[in-house]
Amino acid sequence: MSEPRAVVLSSGGIDSTTTLAVARAEGYALYSLTFDYGQRHRAELLAARRVADFFRVERHLVVSLDLRPIGGSALTDAIGVPKGRSVEAMAAEIPVTYVPARNTIFLSYALAWAEVLGAGDIFIGVNAVDYSGYPDCRPEFIAAFESLANLATKAAVEGALRVRIRTPLLALTKAEIIRRGIELDVDYGLTLSCYDPGPEGGACGQCDSCILRRKGFAEAGVADPTRYGSSRG
Ligand code: ZN
């Protein structure tokens, strides 16, 4: 028997990279999936490549899918990325860095690839503890998508595949995620979290994602390997 296959959504950040490590530890053959969706933080595509190499995935697929014509997000449209916010302010509302329906779109692609690969498990590094603003990171959404997946695919309705949406980080804090990753020998120096990195790929240190990342390393008691650099603005 060969190893079971898993599709793992990978953005090159802490959460998806830890999720890859969990899937590897569970013995899956890894198929990582990254989206070039017109995000302003394009350096994350390079980070996802480094991470895929680190895990020696079976295949790293980069799907080009331009969400800029739809816009509606600070990550894909001419809207400024918020800087210097408190964690309380971040938690108060769904932020402008929310990308409309992004995880529904991404999981739909992952599902299609999983069906072709015969992969029953789709891993996504969503998290509903530290930063619960995004509706498509909540457990209700994940459960609903899993139901859909088993109704929507030929392999599932014919009984050849039972699709599971795996969310190993769902109930972990950022610090717990980092500690889990360190246990699994993740090199976080390969990852990038910043929403607004500088031209050389250095993190801005001021966006919500940078602030949560820094806080996570501090709370985990782990040295922060982040490379900070000048922001474009
Ligand atoms: Zn940043």
Side-chain angles (χ1 to χ4, degrees):
M1 276 286 284
S2 56
E3 299 162 320
R5 293 172 168 180
V7 173
V8 185
L9 294 176
S10 173
S11 69
I14 286 176
D15 296 350
S16 66
T17 301
T18 308
T19 301
L20 269 163
V22 170
R24 180 179 65 175
E26 291 188 17
Y28 288 94
L30 303 177
Y31 292 80
S32 60
L33 178 57
T34 300
F35 293 91
D36 179 355
Y37 61 95
Q39 62 268 55
R40 66 164 67 219
H41 49 317
R42 300 183 62 78
E44 80 171 30
L45 299 172
L46 300 175
R49 178 72 253 166
R50 292 193 296 268
V51 167
D53 290 343
F54 176 77
F55 285 103
R56 294 192 187 90
V57 300
E58 302 294 323
R59 191 161 165 215
H60 178 221
L61 183 63
V62 180
V63 169
S64 293
L65 169 75
D66 192 356
L67 295 180
R68 285 173 297 187
I70 292 175
S73 168
L75 300 189
T76 55
D77 209 339
I79 300 169
V81 172
K83 298 286 173 78
R85 301 203 306 163
S86 68
V87 173
E88 293 71 29
M90 291 177 205
E93 59 184 353
I94 296 174
V96 294
T97 49
Y98 165 73
V99 178
R102 181 174 60 185
N103 282 348
T104 306
I105 295 166
F106 286 4
L107 280 171
S108 297
Y109 274 79
L111 176 61
W113 198 27
E115 183 170 20
V116 171
L117 291 169
D121 292 77
I122 297 170
F123 283 78
I124 180 170
V126 293
N127 174 257
V129 177
D130 261 2
Y131 197 25
S132 55
Y134 294 145
D136 54 357
C137 291
R138 293 176 187 159
E140 304 90 311
F141 164 74
I142 296 298
F145 193 92
E146 184 172 285
S147 297
L148 176 145
N150 286 297
L151 296 170
T153 47
K154 175 173 183 282
V157 298
E158 289 181 352
L161 199 64
R162 169 80 201 163
V163 179
R164 295 192 298 169
I165 309 298
R166 305 285 307 279
T167 58
L169 313 184
L170 192 66
L172 302 184
T173 66
K174 192 64 96 185
E176 288 169 338
I177 291 166
I178 291 167
R179 280 196 290 263
R180 183 86 183 99
I182 296 292
E183 285 167 13
L184 295 171
D185 297 321
V186 171
D187 176 1
Y188 286 116
L190 302 174
T191 66
L192 175 75
S193 302
C194 184
Y195 288 144
D196 194 19
E200 305 299 319
C204 79
Q206 294 296 316
C207 70
D208 292 358
S209 189
C210 278
I211 289 168
L212 289 169
R213 178 183 172 111
R214 181 176 284 169
K215 176 171 172 284
F217 278 109
E219 288 175 5
V222 173
D224 180 354
T226 306
R227 191 167 57 83
Y228 293 99
S230 58
S231 166
R232 76 180 88 189

